[in-house]
Amino acid sequence: MIGRVLMFCVPVVACVPGCPTGADAPEPDPPLVSCADPVVPAATFSSLALVVPAALSLPPGFLDRLRGLVATVTADDAAFATVSAVGDDPDTLYLVLSEQADAVPAHGFVHAQTADNVVEIRAVRPFDLMYGAYAFLEKLGLRYFHPLEVQFVHATDRSVLHIPDDVDETRESPFAERGLHLHLLHPTEYYTAWFEPSPQNLEVAHRVIDWAVMTGTNLIQHYHLALADWSTLRPHLDAIIDYAHAHGVRMGFVGQLYDDGQGLQQQYAFVRDADEWEAELTASLDEVTASDFDVVEFAFGEFFAVDVYRLREMLNFAVDRLDPLGVQVGAQNHIGNYEDLYTEIDGEPIYFYHVPGTADERLVQTVHTVYFYDLYRDWAMYEHESFAMQRDYILQELPERPVKYFPESAYWVSADIDVPIFFSEFIRSRHNDISGLYRDITAAGLPVLDGHVLYSSGHEWNYWMIDYLTARMLFFPEAQLSTFVDHIATSYPGCEDEYAELFTEYMDLSTDYLFDQRLTGYVLGEDAHDDIGYVAGYETHPHPVPFGVLRNDYDQAARDAYRTDVVDALAHAVDDFTPLRQRVRALCEAAPPSSQTACLEFRDAVDVLTLRLRFAALLYGGVLDVIEGQDSGDAKILEAEALLDEVQDVVLARSEHYRFPLDELVEPRANLTRYPFGLLRQAHNLCLWWRPLEKARIFLDKGDDPSPFEVTLTCQD
């Protein structure tokens, strides 16, 4: 597109009389971004030997991965060996694994340099030793950003094996369990790895588990699907579980406790006939625990409730049955908001999703929040004013029973990655919660949280960053948010300060306009289900003011306020994001080759959000102009539509860098979820851009908002 070409082109013109030359010529504009030459540490050693005591058993998968990573930083496939004791070769760096029960963190590791060429890794258990070994290589320039993509951030083809000056470290997490929930009710890129058995897909699952160890994540759980055939799937799942257990990673199974057929998705249900609940629950628990899951967790969905006494009875039954087997049982405390959820039990008022708190004290409370909202700020999903009630519930229950926290890193359904918009607000919210809970729990002298489990729904379009940084935050709960931005910035050698400044600006502008000024509803998408739910009284996510309300219900004063608070604010956001967009493009031109993968993904995210803000300003401003009889309205709507060509260019260019096969992500495909397409289909075809345009056209034709069934684009096929 012309705009993109001009952004970095210097116009060439012929000099005519009067044109300044020589000393009279103006100084050229300084570059938008100027990076220093990357500092590449000199190699001190030619090889790395992992010292594994005879009594310590490590899985072959870990040793294979470590060998490959050492080859990455040395450009030498023969630079890695395992030995049983430190040798006398001064050219070898010895990394000693020391399993110790005392004087080390309960959950974490110690790095200690004990000689010129020896670093000792001390930990209580093999998992933390493996995590500590990966963390040492991270200090040499590796970044474990994505399960399928380890980046080496020093632009060099020679070894950087050395002992960093800051090698000595004690890293400890107050969270005994640090989990990743693969939300496979959505057709994420990991759906095939879990639900389509094959050697290739099993290898992807192994890579996910390896990545968990690399990031200090010690639990992986998945939401199971009702249509999965246990007879064919179980050997595959058992192989995943065995690999995870060999690496010290626990495995969890999530299903809906009760579903009478009203469930929104194809989720596994333990009970479907309330009258036969005991027999069905027994059979389901036996079915699930025939595989060696460590955790069984019950979900309830966000829109349907059942009898509270029967719910409690089911939960107690499950705990009594599974606890003797060593299987942890949990209940997800969801966060819906409609009248039936405000009920009572034992003569006391109670919120339905807090009923599990009245059950057996062995039952883990897994307290959920959704989207990029946190426990501390005003604003929340499902028309809640905030999620403070969930924070209060956590603090209330901690003295009585085990509690985990269960936030999200992507919502997916028409709200973020499938638009596609990278909402950095998820990073800020996850930091707010981790640091805030740690602070509040410590100050109150309460028992620590039993765990933090992150709901994950896709890793493309920079969403890997949220999962990666959240895992890191769990080891540094007192660190400032800037610490984690600075950590990502180290993957831009020579451009660290420039990246940190630009990414911080992206976050701050996003918080200002999308969160504080409440403009999120004007940039995310709305599919047919969102519209149907809204009409039925179930708001799924922030909703823009409907066109019909703007025309038929707002008086002039209200429309003037709308123009100021929405249309003009969106335009101001475009004005602020546009120069950032230019500078990020300059960063990617200046950054070293090793930074290009991450930088181009960030560049594309800034492009799309800037274009989406402009699209929204034109579309909603154009409709408002038409309502008020201004001639400019139609032209603005046409200009909004014209932007889609540029958006499509960005999306198509990004799709060439997806980590999984394109057809799996963007094409219609049969699968066991209720979504017969890949995770990024709507992002690829821009359905969530075309649909608001169609709704605007119908509105302008009929003078009122279309019903959900009048809009031909559903974004669900």
Side-chain angles (χ1 to χ4, degrees), residues 623-685:
V623 170
L624 179 59
D625 286 355
V626 172
I627 289 173
E628 295 188 333
Q630 300 182 29
D631 294 337
S632 57
D634 290 334
K636 287 181 180 179
I637 296 170
L638 289 173
E639 188 178 351
E641 181 175 342
L643 283 178
L644 271 61
D645 287 339
E646 188 173 357
V647 179
Q648 190 73 74
D649 287 346
V650 177
V651 170
L652 290 177
R654 170 94 325 255
S655 70
E656 295 178 4
H657 302 282
Y658 291 157
R659 284 88 171 175
F660 285 79
L662 185 62
D663 61 333
E664 289 186 11
L665 294 176
V666 307
E667 297 296 337
R669 63 187 310 269
N671 64 76
L672 303 180
T673 76
R674 69 162 309 281
Y675 307 99
F677 45 79
L679 183 80
L680 298 178
R681 179 162 176 77
Q682 291 91 343
H684 201 68
N685 62 23

Side-chain angles (χ1 to χ4, degrees), residues 246-267:
H247 289 76
V249 176
R250 289 168 21 110
M251 296 296 287
F253 180 100
V254 180
Q256 188 154 314
L257 177 59
Y258 171 70
D259 180 7
D260 62 357
Q262 299 184 78
L264 298 179
Q265 304 184 66
Q266 301 283 16
Q267 63 267 46

Side-chain angles (χ1 to χ4, degrees), residues 133 200 253 265 301 334 354 385 543 570 619 628 637 657 663 708:
Q200 295 80 9
F253 180 100
Q265 304 184 66
H334 215 299
H354 294 170
E385 293 183 0
H543 197 75
L570 288 166
L619 179 64
E628 295 188 333
I637 296 170
H657 302 282
D663 61 333

Side-chain angles (χ1 to χ4, degrees), residues 415-437:
D416 40 59
I417 193 172
D418 54 345
V419 177
I421 293 175
F422 173 52
F423 283 114
S424 59
E425 202 63 26
F426 281 100
I427 299 174
R428 190 181 304 278
S429 290
R430 302 295 67 84
H431 179 264
N432 285 349
D433 286 339
I434 291 169
S435 61
L437 285 172

Side-chain angles (χ1 to χ4, degrees), residues 693-712:
L693 281 168
E694 183 184 0
K695 290 170 69 175
R697 292 193 189 98
I698 296 173
F699 165 76
L700 294 176
D701 286 343
K702 65 180 287 190
D704 204 351
D705 290 308
S707 76
F709 306 102
E710 289 180 273
V711 185
T712 59

Side-chain angles (χ1 to χ4, degrees), residues 181-188 190-191 194-195 222-223 225 673:
H181 168 100
L182 299 176
H183 199 68
L184 300 184
L185 295 189
H186 299 163
T188 81
Y190 303 109
Y191 164 84
W194 255 252
F195 284 106
H222 79 278
Y223 210 133
L225 291 161
T673 76

